[in-house]
Amino acid sequence: MGLLKQLFNFYINSSLHVALAVVSLTYITILDYDISVDSTILMFVLFSSVTGYNFVKYYGLAKFHHRSLANWLRYIQVFSLLCFLFMCYYVFWLPLEKILFISVLAMLTFLYAIPFLPKRFFLDNKHNLRSIGGLKIYLIALVWTGVTVYFPFVGTNYSFDSDLILTGIQRYVLIIVLMLPFEIRDLRYDSLKLSTIPQKIGVRQTKQVGVFLLVVFFLLELFKKEFVFYGVLALFIVTLVTLLLLIFAKVEQGKYYSGFWVEGLPIFWLALILLFR
């Protein structure tokens, strides 16, 4: 049991779980619009997600504690390096349009963690996009939406229509909602200067905002020109489960409540679609 727990913790802490969530949302888009793509896209999204998330999460630790890194962090460093190498391999198989598009999102991720502007632009001494009050949740939602909705279409002959725009709005809204349990959990640790949603309006009002956004998320599906019953059913179930996880989110939550259950909702959504198809 000890080994299994260590492997599970590595699965979570190495960002493999969140990377599979990103891949799941990307694959949902591919299935919804019947895009003809090969596995290169999904493999690139997988390895780039692990690389990007671990860079953001562990850049500070690796920078300031390089000589005294715990074994678990060293393993994650090695794993991240391997994922980076695989990402570099798969990027050579992408068309130029996709490379340019993903480069913009990669730059946003890079600036999210790396100091790059003078102190007067920021609220603390980190000097990165992450430290700008209130920006974090919206920046993450923007990057996720770009990767999981629009990235598969870049370089294809598919013309952007109203359905695709609505899907982008839906995905952006969903990611914001999925971030709320994390922000509620992190109330104990986040600097007040970050101006997260729970810090500004409180936990109860944050949940109310999340409920409203989930209603918007589901209703937008009804405005699309084309949708299938099993897709709407899967969407309804995911909306309901997300609602429950949001309602029961609290500051003193279990270790895996947000990091596994909430973050795993996209994987659950994909499983439902594959089951109902």
Side-chain angles (χ1 to χ4, degrees), residues 39-78:
S39 60
T40 299
I41 299 295
L42 296 177
M43 297 303 291
F44 173 79
V45 170
L46 174 67
F47 292 120
S48 62
S49 296
V50 172
T51 302
Y53 260 87
N54 285 348
F55 174 75
V56 169
K57 286 198 299 184
Y58 301 117
Y59 167 76
L61 289 176
K63 178 181 179 182
F64 296 111
H65 306 285
H66 180 72
R67 294 185 178 180
S68 58
L69 289 177
N71 287 333
W72 66 270
L73 187 52
R74 291 189 182 276
Y75 295 144
I76 289 176
Q77 280 190 313
V78 173

Side-chain angles (χ1 to χ4, degrees), residues 211-228:
V211 171
F212 171 76
L213 291 177
L214 280 175
V215 172
V216 172
F217 167 71
F218 180 77
L219 290 181
L220 283 175
E221 189 72 17
L222 305 181
F223 287 92
K224 293 182 179 180
K225 293 178 291 186
E226 296 183 14
F227 59 86
V228 293

Side-chain angles (χ1 to χ4, degrees), residues 9-233:
N9 286 332
F10 180 82
Y11 168 73
I12 300 295
N13 295 329
S14 67
S15 301
L16 187 55
H17 186 58
V18 66
L20 289 177
V22 178
V23 171
S24 297
L25 288 176
T26 306
Y27 194 45
I28 288 171
T29 300
I30 292 171
L31 292 176
D32 282 349
Y33 290 90
D34 196 24
I35 312 172
S36 178
V37 298
D38 56 32
S39 60
T40 299
I41 299 295
L42 296 177
M43 297 303 291
F44 173 79
V45 170
L46 174 67
F47 292 120
S48 62
S49 296
V50 172
T51 302
Y53 260 87
N54 285 348
F55 174 75
V56 169
K57 286 198 299 184
Y58 301 117
Y59 167 76
L61 289 176
K63 178 181 179 182
F64 296 111
H65 306 285
H66 180 72
R67 294 185 178 180
S68 58
L69 289 177
N71 287 333
W72 66 270
L73 187 52
R74 291 189 182 276
Y75 295 144
I76 289 176
Q77 280 190 313
V78 173
F79 179 71
S80 300
L81 176 60
L82 291 175
C83 288
F84 173 75
L85 295 175
F86 278 114
M87 180 192 74
C88 292
Y89 168 78
Y90 282 105
V91 77
F92 283 108
W93 297 95
L94 297 177
L96 179 59
E97 297 91 338
K98 275 185 165 54
I99 295 176
L100 293 176
F101 180 82
I102 206 67
S103 295
V104 175
L105 300 179
M107 183 59 65
L108 286 175
T109 303
F110 181 81
L111 296 179
Y112 183 72
I114 299 297
F116 71 103
L117 283 178
K119 294 181 179 181
R120 66 180 181 273
F121 289 94
F122 297 93
L123 298 174
D124 58 26
N125 60 2
K126 294 183 179 179
H127 313 157
N128 51 33
L129 291 180
R130 190 177 193 173
S131 64
I132 299 179
L135 182 63
K136 172 184 174 182
I137 190 172
Y138 307 109
L139 183 63
I140 292 175
L142 177 64
V143 173
W144 274 60
T145 301
V147 171
T148 67
V149 176
Y150 298 114
F151 178 62
F153 291 95
V154 175
T156 68
N157 296 324
Y158 189 93
S159 58
F160 282 38
D161 57 13
S162 59
D163 279 8
L164 190 56
I165 294 174
L166 288 174
T167 298
I169 296 173
Q170 280 181 301
R171 198 64 54 83
Y172 187 83
V173 167
L174 176 64
I175 299 307
I176 288 179
V177 175
L178 293 181
M179 287 292 295
L180 295 181
F182 287 89
E183 294 210 329
I184 292 173
R185 178 197 67 185
D186 293 341
L187 269 175
R188 293 175 296 175
Y189 313 110
D190 283 341
S191 167
L192 292 176
K193 296 178 180 180
L194 287 178
S195 297
T196 64
I197 294 177
Q199 286 176 343
K200 290 189 291 186
I201 64 176
V203 172
R204 182 175 180 179
Q205 286 75 15
T206 295
K207 293 181 180 182
Q208 291 173 349
V209 170
V211 171
F212 171 76
L213 291 177
L214 280 175
V215 172
V216 172
F217 167 71
F218 180 77
L219 290 181
L220 283 175
E221 189 72 17
L222 305 181
F223 287 92
K224 293 182 179 180
K225 293 178 291 186
E226 296 183 14
F227 59 86
V228 293
F229 175 75
Y230 73 80
V232 176
L233 177 60

